[in-house]
Amino acid sequence: MTAALLAWALLSADLRTPPVMIGVVLDDPSRRTRLSATLGIEALGGRVVHAFDGVLVAEVPRGTELSVYRVEGVREVALNAMTGRRGPRSPGLAAWNAIATIGELGESTSGAEPLAHDALVPPALEGSAESVRAATGGTDYNTSEYLAGSVSVTIVLPESDGTGDASTENWTADRESAVVAEIAEGLEWGRLREPQAALAFKYTLIAGRTDVRARTRYEPIRRAADPGGGTGEDLWVKEILGKLGYASGDRFARSRAFAAARRAADGSDWGLNVFVVDSHNDADGKFVDGRFAYTWIGGPHVVMTFDNQAWGIDRLDMVFRHELFHAFYAFDEYAGSGCTCTEHRGYLDGSGANCTSCNASASACVMINNGDAMCASTRRQIGWADLDGDGVLDVVGEDPDTFLDTMPTTWCSPPAVAGLAAVVAPTNRNPSTVTPRASISVNEIVGVDVRADGGAWAPAQVGGWLPTPQRRFAATLPDLPPGPHRLEARAVDDRGNLDATPSWADVVVAAAAAPLGDSIRGERTEAAQGRFTWSSVPGAVGYRVLRAGSPRGAWSAAGETAENAWTDAAPSDGYFIVRGIDACGVEGADGS
Ligand SMILES: [Zn+2]
């Protein structure tokens, strides 16, 4: 980002009043309605930050709240939590209520057991990622590399069907909603920690109570989680993913494919699956092996229980935010995790410098005890660092590129330019080999500016009506005087980054040929031919000679020449006109 634009961004942030958070109830839960309402809210200058089936949570500019009622697909707009008879009627509304009443920092961590070895390294990837997302650079295996942009969060609530293990747990609609609300609250907490990450979340709930695909013959909470073996997670995660259509490979391959597919369906940058097993009737809210929450580093999924041991459902958000960061490569920092201060991980190659063995005083950090402090080491591990000092997080701070198509160098009318604008991916410096080290951008092109001769920039037409990582553009410049000109184009992305080294082309706007005036001299040669000469005139690349039998006769073309002379082969006397021809083939005024 250039300094000038950065200054503008900071200034406007100071002047702008903070946006208002609203809950939006849609006419129906269809994706079509969700999309049209999202676009309508964006047209008002707002942004959807949590999207559920039938409910959106959005930030809108103060004063536009009432306009949201007029957006297509919107049934109801809530400025506060919906209580009483208007209370939660869906997981999305429960989530809105949790977000609307989210407390400032300071939820208690007391009485709860710390996590234990909850960040797990998944086994080596099976096969290779065949599908590369061309525009952004990532593969189907890169589903959670850094925490910026949009994330598809798929919440799976397994329900035992009693065909294998005895069924001891049964989800209810209210408790399903509570899980979704707590996860949304944890994500909202994370979103508020870093505005530049511009986080937005799109949720899919797959609840075994109502969806047979999430039913399992096992009762997960009555088993060990056994993440490294084959007696717990491996059984029911693999079974459910198979029913969801992901039946090949181990549970990691299935879960990655599922996360990638959910991401593609939502048009998100990342995808994360969250399996929450019911523990309502379980004595300690833990799996038999004592686990209650853990995450596979770099994705593809998180595993939690409903109660999370003594944290309880009301503090699931605190446990979840810790697990969320693991999925995006954050290290544990608590003493029992075995963390070291010299390990490095994450897209920006963050160190474990806040491990408790190096910094025993930082106990409120989210990666130590799920507390409210977002400590610097964690920030860099998940991509929230500005190492190049340009005021923008490095993961979203690369300037886009602009490529002008080849164009004619000579123009007889206002010149036109066309080309391609493309985002540039920040370099992936993750020393971990858990997922492919692909460089990935989450930015999108929103416009292209063009100008001539260092003048004022003007917007070009860009292709497509939704921002995408690459877009074609075209523009016709205003009338330019004859002579040489430099045309430039620069791409602009949705983070305010612009191409600081615009693509350029030098062209010449052709001048009209000047009149020959009275410079023509003629003589009759020995061979009885008429021969004329004239002075060359500005703008002429050639000359056209016209001939007539009399001054008022019918003029017809005698020929064209690039010389300053013409020898007429006709034997009879005649009258002649010579006109300059400009670079575009247009005749100038007469000379005779
Ligand atoms: Zn952890």
Side-chain angles (χ1 to χ4, degrees), residues 116-118 120 225-227 285-294 305:
H117 297 289
D118 68 307
L120 306 173
D226 191 18
K286 298 192 280 193
F287 290 98
V288 170
D289 53 3
R291 292 184 177 276
F292 58 90
Y294 60 90
T305 70

Side-chain angles (χ1 to χ4, degrees), residues 47 131 228 249 377 468 508 555 566:
R47 205 167 76 85
S131 171
S377 294
T468 48
V508 173
W555 296 98
W566 175 259

Side-chain angles (χ1 to χ4, degrees), residues 45 97 101 185 497 516 540 548:
N97 281 355
T101 57
E185 200 174 341
N497 301 305
L516 268 64

Side-chain angles (χ1 to χ4, degrees), residues 379-552:
R379 292 178 62 89
R380 177 161 170 181
Q381 288 153 20
I382 63 172
W384 296 357
D386 175 21
L387 304 177
D388 62 7
D390 67 352
V392 185
L393 297 182
D394 290 359
V395 291
V396 295
E398 290 291 327
D399 292 340
D401 263 347
T402 324
F403 305 93
L404 278 173
D405 294 347
T406 304
M407 68 176 87
T409 52
T410 301
W411 290 82
C412 307
S413 52
V417 296
L420 178 75
V423 298
V424 173
T427 301
N428 187 343
R429 297 157 56 189
N430 194 342
S432 166
T433 55
V434 168
T435 50
R437 194 178 300 156
S439 290
I440 302 164
S441 172
V442 298
N443 296 4
E444 289 170 336
I445 298 294
V446 294
V448 175
D449 297 330
V450 296
R451 70 175 180 182
D453 306 321
W457 293 100
Q461 292 282 336
V462 289
W465 55 293
L466 288 175
T468 48
Q470 294 189 357
R471 294 173 87 175
R472 296 279 310 164
F473 66 90
T476 299
L477 286 113
D479 274 326
L480 295 170
H485 297 280
R486 173 156 294 190
L487 311 181
E488 293 175 285
R490 67 175 186 194
V492 183
D493 74 16
D494 58 343
R495 310 298 169 134
N497 301 305
L498 47 82
D499 190 349
T501 54
S503 184
W504 55 270
D506 285 336
V507 300
V508 173
V509 172
L516 268 64
D518 61 358
S519 73
I520 301 180
R521 298 287 177 268
E523 61 184 33
R524 185 166 291 279
T525 67
E526 288 174 7
Q529 292 172 319
R531 178 173 168 80
F532 308 97
T533 60
W534 54 85
S535 306
S536 51
V537 295
V541 298
Y543 299 89
R544 184 167 295 155
V545 180
L546 297 98
R547 188 180 198 282
S550 72
R552 293 169 183 266

